[in-house]
Amino acid sequence: MTTLSVSAQDYTARQIYAQAESEYDIGRIEQALLLLQGNVQNFSGNLRESAYRLMALCWLGLDDTEKAEQATRYLLNADPYYSASPQDPQRFIDMVENLRSGLTAKVTTASSQAESLAEVPVPITLITEDMIRNCGAQNLQEVLATYVPGMNIIDSNDDINIAMRGIYSNGQEKILIMLNGHRLNSYCTNIAAPDFSVSLEKIKQIEVLRGPASSLYGGVALTAVVNLITKQGADIDGVKVKAGVGNYGQMRGDIILGKRYFDLDLLVWGSLYKNNGEEMKVPEERFDEDIYDMPYDHFKIGRIGNKPSHDFGLQLKWKDLQFLYDARFSQIVAPFTMSTLAKTYDWDRYKSMNGYSPSFATTSHHVDLSYSRQIKQLYLKGNIAYDNSDLTHYQVLLDTEFPALGTLLGIDVDALDNIFNYPGLFRYINGQEQNYSVQLKGDYSYVNSKAHKGNLSFGTEFSHFKLDDVRYALGYNYENVAPENPMIPEHGKGHENSYNAFLQLKHQWRSLIFNAGLRYDHKKRVDNRTLNEFSPRVALILMKPKWNLKLSYSKSFVDAPYLYRKTDELLPLLTKNTSLDNYATLNPEFVHSFQITFAGLEWAKGLSFEVNGFYNKAEDLIMTHIIEHLNEAVNKTAGVEVMTSYRSPKYSVEFNCTWIRTFDSNLFIKNIDTNNNTPAITSNVVLAWQATPRLKLFSNVLFESKQTSYNLDLTQMILYTNIASYIEEALENEYYDSAMEWTEELERVKGTLIHQEDMKARAIMNLGAEYKWGNLTLGVNVRNLFNTQYNRSGMNTKLIPQKGRWFMFDVAYKF
């Protein structure tokens, strides 16, 4: 009987809405309003959103702009990411865009609830769909580096990576990347590479929290949070296909289908991308830089492998129930061998391992089901999720024979028949991970009056992670694989359970907002060690009609990746020491951040800006040596970030500039008081001009000041290792005078272990155009227009040349 009753209520609600829509269509606007106003509270889900939209159209029809704007606000509160369709009246389209633009736009990432940018307790960058198109970015990394102050591209040789305020790792494991609020970072590596496996066509907007965010999101949210908000079916209302071709074998295909039927909203997307990479000549100065010369005079940059990257997904929303499935694949080919050596190699000569040639490849599947419900002042949302990933790191160590490499890596060369006497050395690591999670969170409005507004947010989550089928193989002579230690797969497997709970208070008294949060994380590690971490955040916001001022403090952490911990644990199995009792235990990494932000809205028509000053103190950062990892780095950094935007019907300008200064840091055995691989000044300007109703032109100019890279010098490291062996042998033979002499030489060589290389300042210009003719859109985009030659570097990575001039032509059609 209950089921029949609910079904009857739903049918009646749809009938009332259909009648109101019919009244509006024939011009009986007052009658339509009476039907909607008397029944809108009985509507739910998409039907309520449609009712608010129709109410706004009715008030516009009666020329009551104030009430129309109020109805539109209700609509945006119900759906912060709503966009008007091209078939809507222009006045309504403009009203929606005005409310969603600038500091009045709604975001959900910062406080687990919809709020305007002015209310957000920490600095946030909002990247809209138009901004993504205007910058001409090919992948998520380029979008973030263009628009987010403090973020810059870091080249780690074998992965697409990005740094935040001078903090980074070998892979992108310090920034939490989410899809509609659901974590995409691997639970094994903490990595979510912003690469071609993320389709930009499905994204409606990107919300980026600049600063630690563990008080809401726990581990991985160490320096920033990137939340990708997908479009809804109603935004597409049909089918859009897009295809592109470019130089260096680029091919791209996208399809997105979307539709809304009353309470049912459907979105389906698919994306494919491939290229052959850009072939470059090795600079002559690199041939004789040390005793181990470059074996080949050419290499390929930007290559993504022999399989195309893809992103396929389905999003289904019915009333308060939402289902999401996303399947992604990415493959990145390193242009050089292991980063510390960075030598050229012949990619085609190496054998295929499980279908992969040398590359870093990830296949992942994400499924989640969520249900939300508004019960008077209480909003509740429950979520269950499942993630599955296959991780492959197939790395070439050196293309030529290198007998000293085994000793340097600490590997038992006798047990492996000294494979380092052969050319074509490689390492293959593979594992499959699974994760199950259950989450419940809510918001309770405990006061809502003219003088006071108060909201309490809370949540808890449980997750279970396990790693299966671990492989760690060493190969030689391009296609031979050394016998694998049978203990490695067994010891590499494992599982971990995590629990967390958070509480956040947000109270507004007139123009002053107090926002404070605390999260507790409990984790049972695979080694039976228990992790208990508290992550606090507190902020004060003074909000005025034309400006706002924010002060905030937050502490964040990220646990050492499972793969790092297991790799260090398994190292004794690869060396002469077969005991597992003496490996170092990795600890979590921490960041404390203080920020002060001043923002102005519409000081001149269409002009808004933000200035943010920050101080970060990072502790226990993990440094990657040749094959081991250690908590040995600190980083104290201060900086200033500036964002300015100007928008008019024909023009838009987005500008950001960042100054960063690291004044206390340590790198391996050396203390440095400057930035490492991070420019002191970075700026971006994106210009868009609607030249004609059909033609749009856009450009992007990136400037990065001079950079310095500090990395281990393997040549000196080999010398250091040999001298240490001489001293050990002299002491055993009681040659104390000789040992003393070699000790002095050891100290001298120790001071040369860190190699310093400079990268000159550069300006990179991108240019693009888009021409619309009905449902057909033609586009062209050129990256690095003037083919500027420059380098970048990453953690313990030699200088890596960057891509030259890449261009792509595309055509899109909307059905």
Side-chain angles (χ1 to χ4, degrees):
M1 290 175 64
T2 303
T3 303
L4 290 173
S5 174
V6 171
S7 176
Q9 290 173 11
D10 290 345
Y11 180 71
T12 302
R14 287 196 295 271
Q15 276 189 321
I16 292 172
Y17 174 78
Q19 184 180 348
E21 194 171 41
S22 177
E23 297 284 0
Y24 172 80
D25 289 339
I26 63 176
R28 296 163 55 98
I29 297 177
E30 291 87 352
Q31 287 81 353
L33 273 172
L34 285 173
L35 286 168
L36 294 170
Q37 288 175 318
N39 296 279
V40 67
Q41 296 304 320
N42 299 323
F43 298 162
S44 63
N46 295 331
L47 197 61
R48 176 177 286 191
E49 296 169 17
S50 298
Y52 285 140
R53 168 190 169 275
L54 188 55
M55 287 173 65
L57 294 178
C58 288
W59 287 120
L60 284 175
L62 296 175
D63 287 328
D64 193 331
T65 305
E66 184 177 346
K67 290 184 179 179
E69 186 172 295
Q70 184 62 48
T72 306
R73 288 185 186 277
Y74 286 143
L75 171 59
L76 292 176
N77 284 334
D79 179 9
Y81 306 110
Y82 178 83
S83 289
S85 72
Q87 289 74 34
D88 286 326
Q90 190 61 45
R91 289 174 65 194
F92 178 68
I93 295 174
D94 293 340
M95 184 175 291
V96 172
E97 291 306 311
N98 288 338
L99 290 173
R100 292 192 69 247
S101 64
L103 297 180
T104 61
K106 293 286 185 177
V107 295
T108 59
T109 306
S111 297
S112 188
Q113 56 186 290
E115 57 188 351
S116 69
L117 296 189
E119 300 173 80
V120 173
V122 293
I124 189 167
T125 299
L126 177 63
I127 305 171
T128 65
E129 182 182 358
D130 280 341
M131 292 168 66
I132 295 174
R133 287 199 301 266
N134 291 345
C135 74
Q138 289 189 316
N139 55 34
L140 180 59
Q141 179 200 47
E142 294 178 358
V143 174
L144 297 176
T146 300
Y147 287 114
V148 183
M151 281 193 181
N152 65 285
I153 294 175
I154 288 289
D155 199 316
S156 57
N157 187 38
D158 55 5
D159 203 5
I160 289 180
N161 199 3
I162 198 161
M164 181 64 182
R165 295 174 178 171
I167 297 177
Y168 54 92
S169 299
N170 277 340
Q172 194 300 101
E173 59 196 52
K174 302 287 193 288
I175 299 171
L176 175 63
I177 297 181
M178 303 189 299
L179 181 64
N180 292 340
H182 304 293
R183 166 177 171 157
L184 294 183
N185 296 67
S186 161
Y187 289 83
C188 177
T189 64
N190 287 350
I191 290 175
D195 54 26
F196 295 97
S197 67
V198 178
S199 168
L200 298 180
E201 293 295 320
K202 71 182 180 187
I203 296 176
K204 187 179 187 69
Q205 70 182 43
I206 304 173
E207 302 170 4
V208 184
L209 298 188
R210 307 195 320 265
S214 283
S215 63
L216 274 180
Y217 299 108
V220 186
L222 187 73
T223 59
V225 174
V226 176
N227 193 8
L228 311 175
I229 308 298
T230 60
K231 299 172 183 175
Q232 294 195 34
D235 298 323
I236 305 300
D237 194 29
V239 180
K240 181 180 178 181
V241 293
K242 186 176 181 180
V245 295
N247 57 346
Y248 306 119
Q250 291 185 90
M251 296 183 68
R252 182 166 225 147
D254 292 276
I255 182 170
I256 186 165
L257 178 152
K259 203 70 181 175
R260 175 175 291 179
Y261 305 92
F262 292 106
D263 285 326
L264 180 65
D265 189 275
L266 172 68
L267 182 73
V268 180
W269 67 84
S271 176
L272 290 169
Y273 175 81
K274 70 177 293 292
N275 69 43
N276 298 328
E278 176 184 0
E279 185 168 307
M280 289 186 174
K281 291 285 186 181
V282 177
E284 291 188 10
E285 62 269 18
R286 293 290 300 269
F287 276 106
D288 56 356
E289 60 185 4
D290 54 39
I291 59 175
Y292 304 101
D293 298 334
M294 290 283 189
Y296 307 101
D297 65 352
H298 62 275
F299 60 95
K300 283 192 173 183
I301 198 79
R303 189 174 184 179
I304 68 164
N306 49 7
K307 298 180 180 180
S309 294
H310 69 244
D311 181 4
F312 299 108
L314 165 69
Q315 180 177 275
L316 191 64
K317 183 179 179 183
W318 182 69
K319 294 188 177 179
D320 298 318
L321 191 67
Q322 182 163 311
F323 172 80
L324 173 68
Y325 170 70
D326 190 32
R328 297 176 295 116
F329 170 76
S330 68
Q331 185 179 15
I332 304 298
V333 176
F336 297 105
T337 63
M338 63 181 294
S339 301
T340 318
L341 287 168
K343 301 298 180 182
T344 53
Y345 67 101
D346 188 349
W347 186 78
D348 293 315
R349 290 191 65 178
Y350 288 83
K351 72 172 297 183
S352 174
M353 300 281 287
N354 287 342
Y356 296 110
S357 295
S359 60
F360 188 100
T362 303
T363 302
S364 62
H365 300 267
H366 173 82
V367 183
D368 68 68
L369 180 67
S370 61
Y371 179 77
S372 58
R373 191 71 176 172
Q374 184 77 42
I375 309 173
K376 295 184 178 179
Q377 288 81 29
L378 178 64
Y379 172 80
L380 290 173
K381 183 176 182 179
N383 175 268
I384 57 175
Y386 171 74
D387 292 271
N388 177 290
S389 294
D390 185 290
L391 313 169
T392 298
H393 196 171
Y394 183 177
Q395 181 186 48
V396 176
L397 301 178
L398 202 65
D399 207 74
T400 57
E401 62 271 12
F402 191 2
L405 184 59
T407 303
L408 190 63
L409 297 177
I411 293 177
D412 186 357
V413 295
D414 295 330
L416 296 174
D417 297 325
N418 204 0
I419 64 173
F420 299 95
N421 287 327
Y422 296 89
L425 301 169
F426 60 89
R427 174 174 63 175
Y428 177 81
I429 302 175
N430 175 258
Q432 289 80 43
E433 67 167 291
Q434 298 185 67
N435 193 81
Y436 306 83
S437 66
V438 180
Q439 183 185 65
L440 174 67
K441 61 181 181 179
D443 296 296
Y444 176 68
S445 176
Y446 61 85
V447 62
N448 189 356
S449 65
K450 190 173 182 180
H452 291 272
K453 291 182 180 179
N455 188 278
L456 196 64
S457 299
F458 55 89
T460 184
E461 182 181 17
F462 165 77
S463 65
H464 172 76
F465 157 79
K466 67 176 182 177
L467 185 67
D468 303 316
D469 302 327
V470 179
R471 288 194 61 189
Y472 193 118
L474 292 171
Y476 62 99
N477 209 19
Y478 303 102
E479 56 184 28
N480 297 328
V481 178
E484 296 182 49
N485 189 323
M487 295 177 64
I488 290 179
E490 188 60 33
H491 285 284
K493 296 179 183 179
H495 67 272
E496 295 181 335
N497 292 330
S498 301
Y499 310 83
N500 67 71
F502 76 87
L503 187 66
Q504 178 182 265
L505 171 68
K506 177 184 176 183
H507 190 96
Q508 181 176 353
W509 179 68
R510 299 188 188 279
S511 60
L512 185 65
I513 298 177
F514 173 75
N515 190 310
L518 180 66
R519 171 163 164 151
Y520 167 68
D521 282 87
H522 172 86
K523 185 176 187 178
K524 185 70 175 294
R525 280 184 169 185
V526 67
D527 57 4
N528 291 321
R529 182 183 174 190
T530 300
L531 190 72
N532 295 285
E533 294 295 339
F534 289 91
S535 304
R537 180 184 74 187
V538 61
L540 280 174
I541 305 168
L542 181 60
M543 195 165 60
K544 295 294 184 180
K546 287 287 187 178
W547 58 272
N548 63 75
L549 179 67
K550 305 174 185 179
L551 298 171
S552 66
Y553 162 76
S554 54
K555 174 196 170 187
S556 201
F557 85 99
V558 56
D559 192 20
Y562 180 94
L563 183 64
Y564 286 2
R565 290 183 271 122
K566 272 298 181 180
T567 299
D568 285 0
E569 179 183 342
L570 294 173
L571 283 179
L573 295 178
L574 295 172
T575 63
K576 296 178 181 179
N577 178 15
T578 58
S579 171
L580 290 174
D581 299 327
N582 300 318
Y583 69 91
T585 300
L586 287 173
N587 296 315
E589 304 167 87
F590 297 93
V591 169
H592 300 261
S593 181
F594 299 86
Q595 302 193 75
I596 179 170
T597 310
F598 181 83
L601 172 64
E602 293 287 327
W603 280 24
K605 185 173 177 56
L607 179 67
S608 300
F609 68 91
E610 177 188 282
V611 180
N612 179 61
F614 69 88
Y615 166 75
N616 281 357
K617 178 185 177 183
E619 304 170 320
D620 284 336
L621 295 179
I622 295 175
M623 296 296 299
T624 303
H625 286 241
I626 301 173
I627 57 173
E628 64 178 340
H629 312 85
L630 296 171
N631 290 105
E632 61 179 6
V634 299
N635 184 290
K636 297 178 181 178
T637 302
V640 177
E641 301 165 342
V642 178
M643 291 197 314
T644 304
S645 67
Y646 171 75
R647 296 186 180 95
S648 71
K650 279 198 170 185
Y651 304 96
S652 70
V653 180
E654 305 287 341
F655 171 78
N656 65 76
C657 183
T658 306
W659 172 79
I660 291 180
R661 177 70 165 86
T662 299
F663 52 87
D664 187 8
S665 180
N666 63 310
L667 184 70
F668 304 112
I669 60 172
K670 183 174 181 178
N671 291 325
I672 59 175
D673 59 355
T674 186
N675 301 350
N676 181 27
N677 292 316
T678 305
I681 297 176
T682 305
S683 69
N684 273 280
V685 59
V686 179
L687 307 172
W689 174 34
Q690 193 71 48
T692 71
R694 293 181 178 179
L695 178 64
K696 186 176 186 179
L697 304 175
F698 46 84
S699 66
N700 169 32
V701 179
L702 161 69
F703 170 78
E704 292 180 321
S705 64
K706 176 184 175 182
Q707 294 173 242
T708 304
S709 175
Y710 299 89
N711 290 293
L712 275 177
D713 188 325
L714 266 192
T715 304
Q716 295 302 103
M717 192 69 182
I718 293 171
L719 181 58
Y720 183 87
T721 304
N722 289 338
I723 294 175
S725 299
Y726 296 154
I727 294 173
E728 183 180 355
E729 184 178 345
L731 290 174
E732 289 178 356
N733 295 318
E734 300 183 351
Y735 297 150
Y736 299 111
D737 292 340
S738 178
M740 184 66 69
E741 292 178 6
W742 282 113
T743 300
E744 293 176 0
E745 178 65 10
L746 189 71
E747 287 300 313
R748 186 195 68 78
V749 174
K750 184 178 179 180
T752 65
L753 289 179
I754 303 299
H755 180 62
Q756 177 179 336
E757 293 184 277
D758 292 329
M759 292 166 276
K760 62 183 181 181
R762 61 264 187 168
I764 310 297
M765 184 175 183
N766 308 318
L767 197 63
E770 189 177 81
Y771 184 81
K772 289 187 176 182
W773 185 28
N775 291 337
L776 182 69
T777 303
L778 304 175
V780 59
N781 182 62
V782 183
R783 309 288 297 177
N784 195 356
L785 178 65
F786 299 110
N787 201 29
T788 303
Q789 304 299 307
Y790 64 105
N791 299 312
R792 283 196 173 106
S793 182
M795 180 178 288
N796 207 12
T797 306
K798 289 200 171 184
L799 299 192
I800 306 296
Q802 300 299 294
K803 293 189 291 187
R805 185 188 300 110
W806 286 51
F807 59 83
M808 177 170 281
F809 300 93
D810 59 68
V811 56
Y813 190 82
K814 170 74 180 297
F815 294 92

